[in-house]
Amino acid sequence: MHTDLEGRPLAEEIRALEARWQRQRDREETNALLRERRADIKTVLQRVPR
């Protein structure tokens, strides 16, 4: 069985890394969506007479 430097099985380490990368991608997608929504809200607010 192959292990990492801390003695964990490499397959376990790979699964942990894949899970971390997925969470990071999810955060990036969420942040992109929020940027788009903020831009939409800003556009709408600029059209409202004051």
Side-chain angles (χ1 to χ4, degrees), residues 9-45:
L10 287 178
E12 180 183 322
E13 180 68 14
I14 289 169
R15 281 192 297 275
L17 285 170
E18 287 173 340
R20 191 168 90 205
W21 290 332
Q22 181 62 46
R23 287 190 304 273
Q24 183 176 350
R25 280 192 300 271
D26 291 347
R27 272 193 310 273
E28 289 170 357
E29 290 173 7
T30 299
N31 287 338
L33 180 62
L34 290 172
R35 276 192 298 277
E36 184 179 328
R37 294 298 179 248
R38 282 192 296 270
D40 292 345
I41 291 168
K42 184 177 180 179
T43 299
V44 169
L45 290 175

